[in-house]
Every structure is written in structure tokens, then in C-alpha cells.
Amino acid sequence: KSIGIVEATARIIIKPSWKKLRKKDKGKIVLHIDPKMAFGTGHHETTRLSLVLLEEYVCPGAAVLDFGSGTGILAIAAVKLGAASALAIDNDPWAVENALENISRNRVPRRVKAVEGDGRKLPKRSFDLIVANIDLPTITKSLADIVKRLKPQGTLIVSGLLTTDLTKFLNLISHQGVVPLEMLNENEWIAVALIKADANSLH
């Protein structure tokens, strides 16, 4: 199979189970991901951009939501980066099944859960960090629901946006109480990290 080991960030590598680790991978965070149908093998810019931002913004002990989780890669990465727990949610039953396999392959089943659902099915609790590697139409539809589940001063990472989506995206967030902190791009793709401003800091 042509899928090899991906060096996603300086610290994170993504490896299919049939590949052996190399000497130079020692000491790195290894994500064991076997893709079935689902998106999120690390070969795509949006996944790598999400991982770079996760590495920067995940705080030890954080509760993380991976919205539109695909293979579950970002939820798994979050706990390996120090989050206490991660919930992976996807509306595609195939993706959820694949995520569950990858969660057990990475030996994190106590800390990462995968469920089927969408923005309307989010649990009634709040998260320190939410990552959504999806597309502009889905983020447009789900942003208000996602932001409701983000703690004040929590971080939202949105990836899967094209450079041509940026103006629309900035308009979309302008009245949602989230403020951009950082933007990364690779080729035509962008990922944005945002912070949820609490009401007091907006006056």
C-alpha cells in the first residue's frame, strides 16, 4: 500500500499499522491510523494544519471535542498531547466505526469516545477545546451549536477551509463571540485558531 508514515508536525507522526516505526521516530507522538473510507490519514493539508494547531493549543487535562472526526485522528492526537478526554463526533456511521478501531489501536479507549451525530446532537457539556476539520457549508450550519459548547476563553480550531472561503468565514464568526488568534495555510487550505471571548471582555 502506498500510504506511508507521515511526519505531520515536528513531534507527531502518523503511521498505518502495517508500517514499522523507524529509529528516527523514537520519542515522537505516534498516531496509529488505518484509514478505511474515512478522511483523516494525515496526507491531507487540513489534517496536518489541525495537528499543528492542536499541538500548540491543547492544555494538559483539557476536555476536547473533535467535530466531524473522520478517522478520529484529531481526538486521538489530543489525548496523546495531554488532553484528559476527547469526544469524536461524526455524522457518518462508517467514520465512527473507523474511529473506534483507531481508538482501540492507539490504546486510548478510556479517554476517547466516538459517537455518531451532528451539531444538533452535541452533549450538554462544555469543552476547553473544539476542533472542526470540516468544510465551510458544515461549519456555517454548525458554528452556533459548536460555540455554545465551548468554555469561555476556550479554543476553537477550524480547518478544511479554502483561502477563497476566508472572507465568508470571517463574516460568519463576526457575531459568534469567537475571535481569531492565529491562521495557518498550506497550499490553498487554511486552518484558524479562535478564542471564545467571554461577554465581559467584549465591552
Side-chain angles (χ1 to χ4, degrees):
K1 297 193 175 186
S2 61
I3 299 176
I5 291 179
V6 177
E7 296 182 26
T9 74
R11 286 170 60 203
I12 301 172
I13 62 164
I14 305 163
K15 182 190 90 60
S17 58
W18 58 85
K19 288 280 185 191
K20 291 240 185 318
L21 279 179
R22 307 159 300 191
K23 281 207 177 68
K24 65 175 185 166
D25 301 327
K26 205 170 158 52
K28 295 206 170 167
I29 293 173
V30 182
L31 306 176
H32 306 273
I33 302 291
D34 285 354
K36 282 185 151 177
M37 308 280 292
F39 187 70
T41 56
H43 285 267
H44 200 278
E45 290 94 339
T46 61
T47 310
R48 286 197 296 271
L49 291 170
S50 304
L51 287 167
V52 170
L53 289 173
L54 266 183
E55 189 175 283
E56 190 177 337
Y57 291 102
V58 167
C59 300
V64 174
L65 172 67
D66 177 3
F67 183 81
S69 53
T71 56
I73 183 169
L74 299 174
I76 294 164
V79 298
K80 291 196 176 190
L81 286 164
S85 66
L87 175 68
I89 185 166
D90 201 292
N91 60 7
D92 176 358
W94 267 97
V96 175
E97 196 179 306
N98 190 1
L100 287 167
E101 287 172 14
N102 286 321
I103 287 164
S104 87
R105 193 171 282 123
N106 284 276
R107 304 198 172 101
V108 288
R110 281 200 298 280
R111 293 190 295 151
V112 185
K113 300 276 175 272
V115 296
E116 195 182 324
D118 56 22
R120 295 185 303 276
K121 294 228 183 83
L122 292 176
K124 298 275 184 280
R125 57 192 176 93
S126 52
F127 297 88
D128 302 293
L129 186 148
I130 299 177
V131 57
N133 180 13
I134 43 183
D135 54 23
L136 186 64
T138 312
I139 201 80
T140 303
K141 201 168 66 192
S142 314
L143 186 66
D145 294 317
I146 294 173
V147 172
K148 271 192 202 111
R149 298 284 172 258
L150 192 58
K151 290 181 184 170
Q153 301 297 312
T155 309
L156 171 62
I157 295 170
V158 178
S159 188
L161 301 169
L162 290 158
T163 37
T164 48
D165 294 333
L166 188 57
T167 316
K168 280 189 193 138
F169 178 71
L170 292 173
N171 289 336
L172 176 69
I173 61 168
S174 60
H175 43 79
Q176 294 281 0
V178 284
V179 184
L181 292 170
E182 183 179 355
M183 196 177 302
L184 299 178
N185 72 301
E186 189 179 334
N187 301 324
E188 72 274 32
W189 297 98
I190 317 176
V192 189
L194 306 110
I195 186 166
K196 184 172 183 177
D198 50 38
N200 309 333
S201 64
L202 291 173
H203 300 307

